[in-house]
Amino acid sequence: MRFEGTSAYVADKDLMVAVNAAIALERPLLVKGEPGTGKTELARQVASALGLELIEWNVKSTTRAQQGLYEYDAVSRLRDSQLGDDRFNDIRNYIRRGKLWEAFASDKKVVLLIDEIDKADIEFPNDLLQELDRMEFFVYETGETIRAVQRPIVIITSNNEKELPDAFLRRCFFHYIRFPDIDTLTRIVEVHYPGIRKRLVEAALSQFFEIREVPGLKKKPSTSEALDWIRLLVTDDVAPEDLRGEAKNALPRLHGALLKNEQDVHLFERLAFMARRNA
């Protein structure tokens, strides 16, 4: 079982090596990188390429590790006992399976995505150490142990918002997705927009990388934002010559697709003003 990329996802050699190493070691693959570099999409493409089901667990700031295992609804059971409902007699009626339980219970190998693990509390990764290492957990309410029928392929993404514990990192195979260079990003654009005008892509990406290199930029535009911007340029039928003719520090046209806060917009406005004054 090897991942060799898909026609819908541009994966470099190092990324494919990382995925296959994690599969061979049967360890979680921890993927870091700038937002918009395709970390979440990687799990979907691995599942697609290997013909496996994908189970997604999207982590939020309020997510607890226990929710990934199961949740016991004691309130509903108490209410049913007061109403004389027969469901009360079987505690299993009040246990809601989490995403890890779904993955462990599957008769077939699946891909389990734990997305943006760094959004949760700092103890969240530690609370999953044993479960991800042993691929089992204990259900206290029923006294049963849930073990993985088929060890899932676990892919964990992080945007580096906070440091992850060393004990958790030791149990993962790590890969950092570097921001693509202009040749790789050109291939990504062609995958998403086949047949797009090459001269427009060339001019747009040249300007895009110039924008990313502007000193003082608070948030550099990502791969996904580049794709949105190019789509808008195509929709507005912008000529490559118009993009090449724009001043380097001028506010880019359709800049709302690239610049996502007022500080960066004001930065380009100041740069454009200074360039006009010095002309």
Side-chain angles (χ1 to χ4, degrees):
M1 183 173 286
R2 292 183 59 80
F3 175 66
E4 297 180 350
T6 70
S7 60
Y9 187 84
V10 177
D12 62 22
K13 183 179 179 181
D14 289 342
L15 179 55
M16 289 187 284
V17 167
V19 171
N20 292 320
I23 293 173
L25 291 172
E26 294 189 325
R27 289 190 176 275
L29 172 63
L30 174 61
V31 185
K32 290 187 178 183
E34 289 184 31
T37 49
K39 300 184 296 296
T40 302
E41 187 62 24
L42 171 65
R44 296 170 183 153
Q45 295 300 323
V46 169
S48 174
L50 301 180
L52 304 177
E53 178 190 354
L54 173 67
I55 296 176
E56 295 190 43
W57 185 14
N58 299 301
V59 177
K60 301 178 181 179
S61 59
T62 56
T63 302
R64 295 176 293 108
Q66 181 64 34
Q67 292 171 312
L69 308 179
Y70 69 93
E71 292 184 280
Y72 170 52
D73 192 350
V75 174
S76 292
R77 193 178 188 216
L78 176 61
R79 184 190 65 233
D80 288 348
S81 70
Q82 294 169 340
L83 295 174
D85 193 319
D86 289 340
R87 283 168 47 86
F88 165 76
N89 296 316
D90 188 352
I91 197 171
R92 289 178 175 81
N93 290 325
Y94 304 94
I95 292 178
R96 184 184 301 114
R97 294 185 177 189
K99 297 298 184 180
L100 265 72
W101 191 330
E102 286 183 31
F104 290 2
S106 176
D107 292 331
K108 299 179 180 179
K109 185 180 283 291
V110 301
V111 175
L112 172 64
L113 168 63
I114 304 177
D115 201 23
E116 298 189 332
I117 194 172
D118 52 326
K119 278 188 175 180
D121 183 85
I122 189 62
E123 291 303 320
F124 180 90
N126 280 334
D127 291 341
L128 291 176
L129 284 179
Q130 298 302 321
E131 289 77 8
L132 290 177
D133 196 27
R134 298 179 181 175
M135 289 291 163
E136 65 178 38
F137 62 90
F138 186 71
V139 182
Y140 293 94
E141 289 76 8
T142 63
E144 62 182 325
T145 298
I146 305 300
R147 294 185 178 88
V149 178
Q150 295 279 347
R151 196 175 182 99
I153 298 171
V154 182
I155 297 179
I156 303 170
T157 72
S158 169
N159 287 328
N160 249 349
E161 291 184 9
K162 60 171 69 82
E163 290 295 322
L164 299 175
D166 288 346
F168 180 79
L169 295 175
R170 282 198 301 272
R171 289 166 167 82
C172 298
F173 191 92
F174 173 76
H175 182 76
Y176 183 84
I177 298 182
R178 296 181 180 86
F179 194 85
D181 58 24
I182 193 165
D183 291 336
T184 303
L185 194 48
T186 299
R187 290 167 55 206
I188 292 172
V189 172
E190 289 173 351
V191 165
H192 284 80
Y193 309 125
I196 191 172
R197 290 175 291 163
K198 291 186 177 181
R199 290 175 59 244
L200 175 61
V201 173
E202 195 177 292
L205 291 185
S206 177
Q207 187 177 23
F208 173 77
F209 278 95
E210 286 178 357
I211 292 168
R212 278 183 56 89
E213 292 169 4
V214 169
L217 203 61
K218 184 176 181 180
K219 181 195 174 302
K220 294 182 178 182
S222 67
T223 304
S224 60
E225 288 161 341
L227 293 171
D228 289 343
W229 184 54
I230 290 173
R231 180 180 177 183
L232 290 173
L233 295 177
V234 172
T235 301
D236 278 16
D237 199 23
V238 175
E241 295 76 16
D242 294 340
L243 288 178
R244 292 194 184 97
E246 290 182 353
K248 183 176 181 179
N249 293 324
L251 192 66
R253 64 180 66 206
L254 301 168
H255 62 270
L258 299 175
L259 307 178
K260 298 303 176 70
N261 58 68
E262 63 277 15
Q263 295 96 319
D264 289 342
V265 173
H266 292 159
L267 171 63
F268 272 87
E269 288 175 341
R270 288 196 302 272
L271 292 172
F273 173 76
M274 293 172 62
R276 289 195 300 271
R277 190 176 63 176
N278 296 330

